[in-house]
Amino acid sequence: MDQSKKHSFYLLMPYIKRYSSTYILLFVLLIMGVFLDLFFAWFLKSITDSAVAGDFEKVKWYFLLGALLIITNVIISFFNAYLQSVSVNKIKKDIKTDIFNHLLCVSNNYFNRVHSGDIVSRLNNDANSIGGAIGSNIINLIRHPLAALVSFIYLLTINWQLSLLTLLLGPSALLLGKLFGKALRLNSKKIHIETGRVNSFLQDTFSGRFIVKVFGLEQYISNQFQNDSERILLLELKDGKLRGGLQGSVTGVGSMSFMVSLGLGAFFVVN
């Protein structure tokens, strides 16, 4: 973890600690979700074996168990999304309040050096952009390694050869995430910078609208705004391409893992 990431993490930790009870509940839901996913895998295996064996009495009971699993999954998903929303929005509110209170105390020299539009952009856009870092990202940072570890242990009990195969394919997904993640962060930074510039431009335009009308600068201002908007659009389209590339690459690795596992599984069954 580089210094900037560590610094950001330490800055956010006091806010996360304020709502530690909510994050504890999210962690409990995370554990329940991981084991529920494994239970689904066991359920599909068991109901298939019972159907193949012709034990339809067991199949009926498994259908009832499946309905219970679905209801449990719905409840966990609801509270997971709700608690994440509660914690993220409360922390964003606290951060905005602290930034605003700090800005009230800084000297006038700061406001002379930094455009007010850029300050407003940082107060709103930058504060809102941390939602993932204190919400789904921090949860997935724990969930995915834990789910991978528990799933790998479960797979070992079924077939150790296929388990080792999934272990070999895992690093490729991590490498893709690292490469695309770096590009996404750099592009996101450019979007925030451009958004700050546009906010400053809009504030100057509206505060100086009398000058704009007197000198007939409407078309010039309109063209400049369109050019700025076009630059932001191109960056946002690039963001979409990067996210699509990441999703497609990870899906490709997952599909390849599934097909190879299916092929080797069929080979082991035949032999």
Side-chain angles (χ1 to χ4, degrees):
M1 186 182 291
D2 58 38
Q3 291 297 97
S4 62
K5 291 181 182 177
K6 287 182 179 179
H7 183 63
S8 300
F9 179 75
Y10 290 133
L11 285 176
L12 291 173
M13 274 307 297
Y15 296 99
I16 294 175
K17 288 179 179 178
R18 291 181 192 177
Y19 305 100
S20 57
S21 58
T22 304
Y23 280 97
I24 290 172
L25 289 174
L26 283 169
F27 182 74
V28 172
L29 291 174
L30 183 152
I31 298 295
M32 293 174 63
V34 168
F35 283 97
L36 187 65
D37 289 342
L38 289 181
F39 203 65
F40 264 116
W42 171 85
F43 165 77
L44 292 173
K45 175 181 177 297
S46 299
I47 194 172
T48 302
D49 291 343
S50 298
V52 171
D55 191 348
F56 294 107
E57 189 64 29
K58 274 190 176 181
V59 171
K60 288 192 291 185
W61 283 107
Y62 279 130
F63 266 112
L64 293 175
L65 178 60
L68 182 61
L69 288 175
I70 292 173
I71 293 172
T72 305
N73 193 33
V74 169
I75 294 172
I76 289 175
S77 298
F78 169 78
F79 280 103
N80 183 59
Y82 174 71
L83 290 175
Q84 280 192 46
S85 177
V86 168
S87 59
V88 167
N89 287 298
K90 284 185 176 180
I91 289 176
K92 287 197 295 186
K93 178 186 73 69
D94 291 349
I95 290 176
K96 289 180 180 180
T97 301
D98 289 346
I99 293 174
F100 183 74
N101 290 337
H102 174 73
L103 290 171
L104 292 177
C105 299
V106 299
S107 65
N108 291 329
N109 289 332
Y110 176 79
F111 290 98
N112 292 332
R113 287 185 290 105
V114 182
H115 197 284
S116 58
D118 187 52
I119 296 174
V120 172
S121 176
R122 291 185 178 278
L123 183 61
N124 289 320
N125 298 331
D126 292 4
N128 287 331
S129 67
I130 66 166
I134 56 178
S136 58
N137 289 354
I138 195 172
I139 297 299
N140 290 334
L141 191 64
I142 303 171
R143 177 186 175 86
H144 290 163
L146 180 62
L149 176 62
V150 176
S151 299
F152 180 71
I153 294 173
Y154 178 68
L155 285 173
L156 281 174
T157 65
I158 300 174
N159 188 293
W160 66 268
Q161 294 99 325
L162 294 180
S163 302
L164 292 179
L165 175 66
T166 59
L167 189 64
L168 292 174
L169 291 173
S172 59
L174 293 176
L175 179 61
L176 288 170
K178 183 175 179 62
L179 293 175
F180 279 97
K182 183 177 180 180
L184 282 166
R185 286 193 299 273
L186 291 174
N187 193 64
S188 179
K189 185 177 181 180
K190 291 178 181 178
I191 291 176
H192 289 153
I193 292 173
E194 288 296 327
T195 302
R197 288 183 63 256
V198 170
N199 287 339
S200 300
F201 172 74
L202 290 174
Q203 190 165 355
D204 288 342
T205 300
F206 295 141
S207 62
R209 60 188 180 279
F210 178 75
I211 303 297
V212 173
K213 289 184 177 297
V214 168
F215 290 95
L217 299 174
E218 290 88 351
Q219 188 59 48
Y220 172 79
I221 295 296
S222 176
N223 291 338
Q224 187 169 342
F225 179 72
Q226 289 181 33
N227 291 335
D228 292 340
S229 299
E230 186 68 25
R231 282 198 299 272
I232 293 177
L233 175 62
L234 291 175
L235 290 172
E236 289 173 338
L237 292 177
K238 183 179 179 181
D239 182 82
K241 290 179 181 178
L242 289 171
R243 292 183 186 278
L246 174 61
Q247 185 66 36
S249 300
V250 172
T251 300
V253 172
S255 298
M256 182 175 66
S257 175
F258 174 76
M259 293 300 296
V260 173
S261 299
L262 186 64
L264 286 178
F267 174 79
F268 291 144
V269 170
V270 171
N271 290 276

